Amino acid sequence: MSAAKPLKDPLDLLDIASVLTDEEREIQATVAKFLADRVRPHLGGWFENAHFARELAPELGKLGVLGMHLEGYGCAGTDAVSYGLACMELEAADSGFRSFVSVQGSLSMFSIWKWGSEEQKLQWLPRLAAGEAIGCFGLTEPDFGSDPAGMRTRAVRDGGDWILNGSKMWITNGGIADVATVWAQTEDGIRGFLLPRGTPGFTTQDIKQKMSLRASITSELSFHDVRLPESARLPHAKGLRGPLSCLNEARFGILFGVVGAARDSLQAAIDYADSRVQFGKPISAFQLTQKKLADMTVSLGSAALLAMHLGRLKDQGRIRPEQISVGKLNNVREAIAIARECRTVLGANGISLEYSPLRHANNLESVLTYEGTNEMHTLVVGQAITGYPAFR
Protein backbone atom coordinates (compact mmCIF):
# COMPACT_ATOMS: atom_id res chain seq x y z
CA MET A 1 0.00 0.00 0.00
CA SER A 2 1.39 3.42 -0.96
CA ALA A 3 0.41 6.62 0.77
CA ALA A 4 0.78 10.30 -0.02
CA LYS A 5 2.56 12.40 2.57
CA PRO A 6 0.09 13.60 5.26
CA LEU A 7 -0.80 17.29 5.25
CA LYS A 8 1.68 19.45 7.10
CA ASP A 9 -1.21 21.76 8.03
CA PRO A 10 -4.87 20.62 7.88
CA LEU A 11 -5.80 24.05 6.52
CA ASP A 12 -3.71 23.31 3.42
CA LEU A 13 -6.56 21.16 2.08
CA LEU A 14 -8.53 24.33 1.25
CA ASP A 15 -5.40 26.42 0.63
CA ILE A 16 -6.46 28.93 3.30
CA ALA A 17 -3.07 30.66 3.12
CA SER A 18 -3.80 31.73 -0.45
CA VAL A 19 -6.37 34.29 0.74
CA LEU A 20 -3.76 36.05 2.92
CA THR A 21 -1.49 38.90 1.91
CA ASP A 22 2.29 38.51 2.09
CA GLU A 23 2.35 40.77 5.16
CA GLU A 24 -0.33 38.74 6.92
CA ARG A 25 1.53 35.50 6.25
CA GLU A 26 4.75 37.04 7.54
CA ILE A 27 3.10 38.21 10.76
CA GLN A 28 1.58 34.76 11.31
CA ALA A 29 4.90 33.04 10.69
CA THR A 30 6.77 35.42 13.00
CA VAL A 31 4.37 34.78 15.88
CA ALA A 32 4.47 31.02 15.25
CA LYS A 33 8.29 31.00 15.35
CA PHE A 34 8.40 32.95 18.60
CA LEU A 35 6.00 30.48 20.19
CA ALA A 36 7.93 27.49 18.86
CA ASP A 37 11.14 28.85 20.38
CA ARG A 38 9.95 30.38 23.65
CA VAL A 39 6.64 28.80 24.62
CA ARG A 40 5.89 25.39 23.13
CA PRO A 41 8.79 23.50 24.79
CA HIS A 42 7.40 24.43 28.23
CA LEU A 43 3.63 24.15 27.79
CA GLY A 44 3.16 20.73 29.37
CA GLY A 45 5.01 21.73 32.51
CA TRP A 46 3.32 25.12 32.75
CA PHE A 47 -0.11 23.55 32.40
CA GLU A 48 0.68 20.82 34.94
CA ASN A 49 2.14 23.28 37.44
CA ALA A 50 -0.45 26.04 36.84
CA HIS A 51 2.31 28.48 35.93
CA PHE A 52 2.00 31.62 33.81
CA ALA A 53 5.33 32.84 32.45
CA ARG A 54 4.95 36.53 33.28
CA GLU A 55 8.53 37.14 32.23
CA LEU A 56 7.44 36.69 28.61
CA ALA A 57 5.29 39.86 28.67
CA PRO A 58 8.12 42.18 27.54
CA GLU A 59 9.04 39.68 24.81
CA LEU A 60 5.43 39.67 23.60
CA GLY A 61 5.60 43.46 23.65
CA LYS A 62 8.76 43.43 21.57
CA LEU A 63 7.07 40.98 19.20
CA GLY A 64 4.38 43.63 18.72
CA VAL A 65 1.29 41.58 19.58
CA LEU A 66 0.09 43.57 22.62
CA GLY A 67 -2.63 45.92 21.39
CA MET A 68 -1.34 45.25 17.88
CA HIS A 69 -4.63 46.28 16.21
CA LEU A 70 -4.64 49.71 17.90
CA GLU A 71 -3.17 52.90 16.42
CA GLY A 72 -0.55 55.07 18.10
CA TYR A 73 0.88 55.06 21.63
CA GLY A 74 3.46 52.42 20.76
CA CYS A 75 0.92 50.01 19.24
CA ALA A 76 1.64 48.25 15.94
CA GLY A 77 -1.55 49.38 14.18
CA THR A 78 -2.01 46.20 12.13
CA ASP A 79 -5.22 45.21 10.39
CA ALA A 80 -7.84 43.00 12.03
CA VAL A 81 -6.94 39.89 10.04
CA SER A 82 -3.30 40.11 11.11
CA TYR A 83 -4.41 40.41 14.74
CA GLY A 84 -6.67 37.41 14.25
CA LEU A 85 -3.85 35.34 12.77
CA ALA A 86 -1.63 36.21 15.73
CA CYS A 87 -4.42 35.02 18.04
CA MET A 88 -4.68 31.83 15.99
CA GLU A 89 -1.01 31.05 16.54
CA LEU A 90 -1.12 32.00 20.21
CA GLU A 91 -4.05 29.69 20.88
CA ALA A 92 -2.50 26.94 18.79
CA ALA A 93 0.14 26.97 21.53
CA ASP A 94 -2.22 27.44 24.49
CA SER A 95 -5.45 29.31 25.16
CA GLY A 96 -3.83 30.88 28.20
CA PHE A 97 -1.40 32.83 26.06
CA ARG A 98 -4.09 34.00 23.66
CA SER A 99 -6.16 35.00 26.71
CA PHE A 100 -3.27 37.04 28.10
CA VAL A 101 -2.74 38.88 24.82
CA SER A 102 -6.49 39.28 24.25
CA VAL A 103 -7.16 40.72 27.71
CA GLN A 104 -4.12 42.97 27.52
CA GLY A 105 -4.91 44.38 24.09
CA SER A 106 -8.64 44.02 23.43
CA LEU A 107 -9.96 44.63 26.95
CA SER A 108 -7.48 46.57 29.07
CA MET A 109 -5.75 48.58 26.33
CA PHE A 110 -8.81 48.97 24.11
CA SER A 111 -10.88 50.30 27.03
CA ILE A 112 -8.27 53.03 27.59
CA TRP A 113 -7.69 53.65 23.87
CA LYS A 114 -11.41 53.94 23.10
CA TRP A 115 -12.85 55.51 26.23
CA GLY A 116 -9.93 57.06 28.10
CA SER A 117 -8.58 60.61 28.34
CA GLU A 118 -5.43 61.63 26.52
CA GLU A 119 -3.61 61.69 29.85
CA GLN A 120 -4.73 58.13 30.62
CA LYS A 121 -3.65 56.94 27.18
CA LEU A 122 -0.22 58.50 27.51
CA GLN A 123 0.24 57.15 31.01
CA TRP A 124 -0.68 53.54 30.29
CA LEU A 125 -0.81 52.53 26.63
CA PRO A 126 2.93 52.73 25.76
CA ARG A 127 3.83 50.66 28.84
CA LEU A 128 1.09 48.11 28.19
CA ALA A 129 2.07 47.81 24.51
CA ALA A 130 5.67 47.15 25.53
CA GLY A 131 4.70 44.56 28.14
CA GLU A 132 6.28 46.70 30.83
CA ALA A 133 2.88 46.86 32.52
CA ILE A 134 0.06 44.32 32.60
CA GLY A 135 -3.64 45.15 32.52
CA CYS A 136 -6.89 43.39 33.39
CA PHE A 137 -10.59 44.06 32.86
CA GLY A 138 -13.07 43.84 35.72
CA LEU A 139 -16.66 43.33 34.55
CA THR A 140 -17.86 39.85 35.66
CA GLU A 141 -19.02 39.52 39.26
CA PRO A 142 -19.68 36.46 41.45
CA ASP A 143 -23.45 36.82 40.91
CA PHE A 144 -23.53 38.66 37.57
CA GLY A 145 -21.86 37.21 34.48
CA SER A 146 -24.21 37.10 31.50
CA ASP A 147 -26.24 39.97 32.98
CA PRO A 148 -23.64 42.69 33.62
CA ALA A 149 -26.33 45.37 33.96
CA GLY A 150 -27.11 43.90 37.39
CA MET A 151 -23.58 44.41 38.74
CA ARG A 152 -23.35 45.33 42.42
CA THR A 153 -19.95 47.02 42.38
CA ARG A 154 -20.73 50.66 43.01
CA ALA A 155 -18.87 53.97 42.84
CA VAL A 156 -20.26 56.89 44.85
CA ARG A 157 -19.12 60.50 44.64
CA ASP A 158 -17.42 61.95 47.69
CA GLY A 159 -16.52 65.54 46.97
CA GLY A 160 -14.21 65.49 43.97
CA ASP A 161 -13.40 61.79 44.46
CA TRP A 162 -15.15 58.46 44.00
CA ILE A 163 -15.53 55.70 46.63
CA LEU A 164 -15.59 52.22 45.10
CA ASN A 165 -16.95 49.08 46.78
CA GLY A 166 -17.64 45.60 45.41
CA SER A 167 -15.87 42.67 43.77
CA LYS A 168 -15.16 41.08 40.40
CA MET A 169 -14.63 37.40 39.64
CA TRP A 170 -12.88 35.24 37.01
CA ILE A 171 -10.60 38.07 35.95
CA THR A 172 -7.74 37.02 33.66
CA ASN A 173 -4.41 38.66 34.60
CA GLY A 174 -6.04 40.04 37.77
CA GLY A 175 -3.39 38.88 40.22
CA ILE A 176 -0.50 40.27 38.19
CA ALA A 177 -2.08 43.39 36.69
CA ASP A 178 -0.50 46.79 37.20
CA VAL A 179 -3.75 48.49 36.24
CA ALA A 180 -7.35 47.25 36.27
CA THR A 181 -10.20 48.63 34.20
CA VAL A 182 -13.16 48.27 36.57
CA TRP A 183 -16.81 48.86 35.69
CA ALA A 184 -19.19 50.04 38.41
CA GLN A 185 -22.70 51.33 38.91
CA THR A 186 -22.97 55.06 39.64
CA GLU A 187 -25.88 57.45 40.04
CA ASP A 188 -25.24 58.35 36.41
CA GLY A 189 -25.18 54.79 35.04
CA ILE A 190 -22.33 52.30 34.53
CA ARG A 191 -18.90 53.92 34.42
CA GLY A 192 -15.35 52.69 34.00
CA PHE A 193 -12.41 53.43 36.30
CA LEU A 194 -8.67 52.75 36.16
CA LEU A 195 -7.23 51.28 39.36
CA PRO A 196 -3.44 51.03 39.65
CA ARG A 197 -2.05 48.13 41.70
CA GLY A 198 -1.34 49.26 45.24
CA THR A 199 -4.36 51.55 45.50
CA PRO A 200 -5.50 51.33 49.16
CA GLY A 201 -8.51 49.03 49.56
CA PHE A 202 -7.90 47.23 46.24
CA THR A 203 -6.85 43.58 46.69
CA THR A 204 -6.69 40.48 44.50
CA GLN A 205 -6.79 36.75 45.16
CA ASP A 206 -5.85 34.16 42.55
CA ILE A 207 -8.26 31.29 41.88
CA LYS A 208 -6.61 27.91 42.46
CA GLN A 209 -7.38 24.28 41.53
CA LYS A 210 -8.52 25.11 38.01
CA MET A 211 -8.92 22.28 35.51
CA SER A 212 -8.81 24.70 32.56
CA LEU A 213 -6.58 27.62 31.54
CA ARG A 214 -4.01 26.42 34.03
CA ALA A 215 -1.16 28.30 32.30
CA SER A 216 -3.03 31.55 32.96
CA ILE A 217 -3.73 33.76 35.97
CA THR A 218 -7.40 34.03 36.97
CA SER A 219 -8.33 36.14 39.99
CA GLU A 220 -10.93 37.78 42.16
CA LEU A 221 -10.73 41.57 42.56
CA SER A 222 -12.03 43.15 45.76
CA PHE A 223 -12.69 46.85 46.47
CA HIS A 224 -13.24 48.10 50.00
CA ASP A 225 -13.78 51.85 50.28
CA VAL A 226 -11.30 52.47 47.46
CA ARG A 227 -10.88 56.22 47.00
CA LEU A 228 -10.26 57.31 43.43
CA PRO A 229 -9.78 60.78 41.97
CA GLU A 230 -11.98 61.97 39.12
CA SER A 231 -8.97 61.51 36.83
CA ALA A 232 -9.31 57.73 37.33
CA ARG A 233 -12.67 57.65 35.53
CA LEU A 234 -12.78 56.78 31.83
CA PRO A 235 -14.41 60.05 30.70
CA HIS A 236 -15.97 58.89 27.44
CA ALA A 237 -17.65 55.66 28.64
CA LYS A 238 -21.22 55.68 29.91
CA GLY A 239 -23.54 52.71 30.19
CA LEU A 240 -23.01 49.17 28.98
CA ARG A 241 -21.86 50.36 25.57
CA GLY A 242 -18.39 50.89 27.02
CA PRO A 243 -17.65 47.40 28.34
CA LEU A 244 -19.61 45.65 25.58
CA SER A 245 -17.54 47.36 22.89
CA CYS A 246 -14.43 45.95 24.55
CA LEU A 247 -15.95 42.47 24.73
CA ASN A 248 -16.63 42.53 21.00
CA GLU A 249 -12.94 43.20 20.40
CA ALA A 250 -12.00 40.24 22.61
CA ARG A 251 -14.57 37.94 21.00
CA PHE A 252 -13.12 38.71 17.59
CA GLY A 253 -9.73 37.46 18.75
CA ILE A 254 -11.37 34.34 20.17
CA LEU A 255 -13.08 33.32 16.93
CA PHE A 256 -9.67 33.28 15.25
CA GLY A 257 -7.82 31.87 18.25
CA VAL A 258 -9.87 28.73 18.67
CA VAL A 259 -9.17 27.79 15.05
CA GLY A 260 -5.54 27.57 16.14
CA ALA A 261 -6.37 25.26 19.07
CA ALA A 262 -8.40 23.01 16.76
CA ARG A 263 -5.69 23.03 14.08
CA ASP A 264 -3.00 22.09 16.56
CA SER A 265 -5.17 19.28 17.96
CA LEU A 266 -5.91 17.94 14.49
CA GLN A 267 -2.28 18.10 13.42
CA ALA A 268 -1.33 16.10 16.51
CA ALA A 269 -3.96 13.51 15.65
CA ILE A 270 -2.87 13.26 12.00
CA ASP A 271 0.79 12.85 12.97
CA TYR A 272 -0.05 10.26 15.61
CA ALA A 273 -2.35 8.28 13.31
CA ASP A 274 0.40 8.11 10.69
CA SER A 275 2.95 6.74 13.17
CA ARG A 276 0.73 4.46 15.27
CA VAL A 277 0.72 0.95 13.78
CA GLN A 278 -2.02 -1.57 14.60
CA PHE A 279 -2.88 -4.79 12.73
CA GLY A 280 0.14 -4.26 10.53
CA LYS A 281 -0.55 -0.75 9.22
CA PRO A 282 -0.85 2.85 10.44
CA ILE A 283 -4.23 3.59 11.98
CA SER A 284 -4.51 6.48 9.50
CA ALA A 285 -5.08 3.82 6.84
CA PHE A 286 -8.30 2.60 8.50
CA GLN A 287 -11.65 3.89 7.31
CA LEU A 288 -13.00 4.91 10.72
CA THR A 289 -9.90 6.94 11.51
CA GLN A 290 -10.01 8.58 8.09
CA LYS A 291 -13.67 9.51 8.62
CA LYS A 292 -12.76 11.22 11.90
CA LEU A 293 -9.86 13.09 10.31
CA ALA A 294 -11.87 14.05 7.22
CA ASP A 295 -14.86 15.34 9.20
CA MET A 296 -12.62 17.37 11.48
CA THR A 297 -10.64 18.84 8.58
CA VAL A 298 -13.86 19.97 6.90
CA SER A 299 -15.12 21.56 10.14
CA LEU A 300 -11.77 23.25 10.72
CA GLY A 301 -11.66 24.67 7.19
CA SER A 302 -15.19 26.05 7.53
CA ALA A 303 -14.31 27.73 10.84
CA ALA A 304 -11.14 29.24 9.36
CA LEU A 305 -13.02 30.62 6.35
CA LEU A 306 -15.67 32.12 8.63
CA ALA A 307 -12.95 33.79 10.68
CA MET A 308 -11.31 35.18 7.54
CA HIS A 309 -14.62 36.53 6.23
CA LEU A 310 -15.38 38.26 9.52
CA GLY A 311 -11.85 39.64 9.63
CA ARG A 312 -12.25 41.20 6.19
CA LEU A 313 -15.59 42.70 7.27
CA LYS A 314 -13.92 44.18 10.36
CA ASP A 315 -11.15 45.69 8.28
CA GLN A 316 -13.78 47.28 6.05
CA GLY A 317 -15.55 48.73 9.12
CA ARG A 318 -18.68 46.72 8.33
CA ILE A 319 -18.78 44.05 11.03
CA ARG A 320 -21.79 43.92 13.37
CA PRO A 321 -21.91 42.52 16.93
CA GLU A 322 -24.26 39.69 15.94
CA GLN A 323 -21.78 38.61 13.26
CA ILE A 324 -19.04 38.35 15.89
CA SER A 325 -21.49 36.25 17.94
CA VAL A 326 -21.91 33.91 14.96
CA GLY A 327 -18.14 33.49 14.79
CA LYS A 328 -17.66 32.95 18.51
CA LEU A 329 -20.62 30.57 18.74
CA ASN A 330 -19.67 28.44 15.74
CA ASN A 331 -15.91 28.37 16.01
CA VAL A 332 -15.67 27.58 19.71
CA ARG A 333 -18.28 24.86 19.31
CA GLU A 334 -16.38 23.31 16.40
CA ALA A 335 -12.98 23.68 18.07
CA ILE A 336 -13.96 21.91 21.28
CA ALA A 337 -15.58 19.09 19.30
CA ILE A 338 -12.40 18.70 17.22
CA ALA A 339 -10.12 18.67 20.28
CA ARG A 340 -12.25 16.01 21.98
CA GLU A 341 -12.39 13.82 18.88
CA CYS A 342 -8.64 14.15 18.36
CA ARG A 343 -8.07 12.81 21.85
CA THR A 344 -9.91 9.63 20.82
CA VAL A 345 -7.56 9.14 17.86
CA LEU A 346 -4.65 9.14 20.30
CA GLY A 347 -6.24 6.49 22.51
CA ALA A 348 -4.70 6.20 25.97
CA ASN A 349 -1.81 8.44 24.91
CA GLY A 350 -4.36 11.22 24.48
CA ILE A 351 -4.54 11.83 28.23
CA SER A 352 -0.82 12.62 28.42
CA LEU A 353 0.49 16.17 28.40
CA GLU A 354 2.96 14.97 25.80
CA TYR A 355 0.14 15.57 23.34
CA SER A 356 -1.96 18.72 22.99
CA PRO A 357 -5.59 17.73 22.22
CA LEU A 358 -6.87 17.12 25.76
CA ARG A 359 -5.06 20.21 27.06
CA HIS A 360 -6.76 22.22 24.32
CA ALA A 361 -10.12 20.60 25.10
CA ASN A 362 -9.77 21.50 28.77
CA ASN A 363 -8.85 25.08 27.93
CA LEU A 364 -11.70 25.39 25.45
CA GLU A 365 -14.15 24.51 28.22
CA SER A 366 -13.38 28.00 29.59
CA VAL A 367 -13.42 29.66 26.18
CA LEU A 368 -16.86 28.13 25.60
CA THR A 369 -18.35 30.19 28.43
CA TYR A 370 -16.24 33.33 28.77
CA GLU A 371 -16.81 36.49 26.72
CA GLY A 372 -20.41 35.34 26.38
CA THR A 373 -21.73 31.83 26.90
CA ASN A 374 -22.95 29.58 24.12
CA GLU A 375 -26.49 30.33 25.24
CA MET A 376 -26.07 34.12 25.15
CA HIS A 377 -24.53 34.15 21.67
CA THR A 378 -27.31 31.83 20.49
CA LEU A 379 -29.87 34.38 21.68
CA VAL A 380 -27.97 37.24 20.06
CA VAL A 381 -28.16 35.38 16.76
CA GLY A 382 -31.80 34.49 17.44
CA GLN A 383 -32.67 38.15 17.98
CA ALA A 384 -30.90 39.10 14.76
CA ILE A 385 -32.99 36.52 12.89
CA THR A 386 -36.40 37.14 14.49
CA GLY A 387 -36.22 40.66 15.89
CA TYR A 388 -37.29 39.42 19.32
CA PRO A 389 -34.94 39.66 22.34
CA ALA A 390 -35.35 36.42 24.30
CA PHE A 391 -32.85 37.09 27.08
CA ARG A 392 -35.48 37.27 29.82
Side-chain angles (χ1 to χ4, degrees), residues 48-128:
E48 185 172 23
N49 297 313
H51 173 72
F52 174 72
R54 179 178 180 171
E55 65 275 11
L56 291 179
E59 295 185 48
L60 290 166
K62 186 177 180 180
L63 187 65
V65 298
L66 302 180
M68 63 184 286
H69 57 308
L70 305 180
E71 295 281 350
Y73 307 98
C75 302
T78 62
D79 62 17
V81 170
S82 294
Y83 170 59
L85 293 169
C87 287
M88 186 185 297
E89 295 306 321
L90 287 159
E91 196 140 4
D94 190 86
S95 297
F97 278 85
R98 198 270 308 142
S99 292
F100 172 78
V101 169
S102 181
V103 168
Q104 181 90 341
S106 291
L107 293 180
S108 173
M109 293 176 67
F110 183 82
S111 67
I112 300 170
W113 184 86
K114 179 72 173 178
W115 304 113
S117 67
E118 186 64 20
E119 291 75 18
Q120 289 168 338
K121 295 175 186 178
L122 290 171
Q123 178 183 5
W124 288 110
L125 290 180
R127 294 176 58 203
L128 291 166

Side-chain angles (χ1 to χ4, degrees), residues 258 262 295-296 298-300 302-303 328-340 364 368:
V258 295
D295 286 347
M296 290 188 288
V298 171
S299 295
L300 176 67
S302 298
K328 205 271 187 180
L329 175 67
N330 180 79
N331 286 8
V332 178
R333 184 166 57 194
E334 294 304 312
I336 197 168
I338 288 171
R340 289 168 175 166
L364 289 168
L368 185 69

Side-chain angles (χ1 to χ4, degrees), residues 155-164 193 226-232:
V156 178
R157 285 192 179 274
D158 183 46
D161 294 339
W162 294 86
I163 305 298
L164 183 71
F193 298 86
V226 176
R227 180 174 292 274
L228 296 169
E230 171 64 16
S231 60

Side-chain angles (χ1 to χ4, degrees), residues 49-52 169-170 175-176 204-214 216-220:
N49 297 313
H51 173 72
F52 174 72
M169 194 69 171
W170 304 111
I176 57 174
T204 67
Q205 183 173 341
D206 292 344
I207 297 170
K208 305 293 186 180
Q209 297 182 314
K210 296 185 300 179
M211 298 177 69
S212 179
L213 290 180
R214 291 180 57 78
S216 175
I217 301 295
T218 312
S219 311
E220 179 180 8

Side-chain angles (χ1 to χ4, degrees), residues 166-214:
S167 64
K168 302 293 180 179
M169 194 69 171
W170 304 111
I171 307 304
T172 299
N173 300 349
I176 57 174
D178 298 288
V179 61
T181 299
V182 176
W183 301 93
Q185 298 276 13
T186 75
E187 62 182 9
D188 194 28
I190 292 174
R191 297 286 193 167
F193 298 86
L194 297 182
L195 276 70
R197 174 166 294 281
T199 301
F202 171 34
T203 59
T204 67
Q205 183 173 341
D206 292 344
I207 297 170
K208 305 293 186 180
Q209 297 182 314
K210 296 185 300 179
M211 298 177 69
S212 179
L213 290 180
R214 291 180 57 78

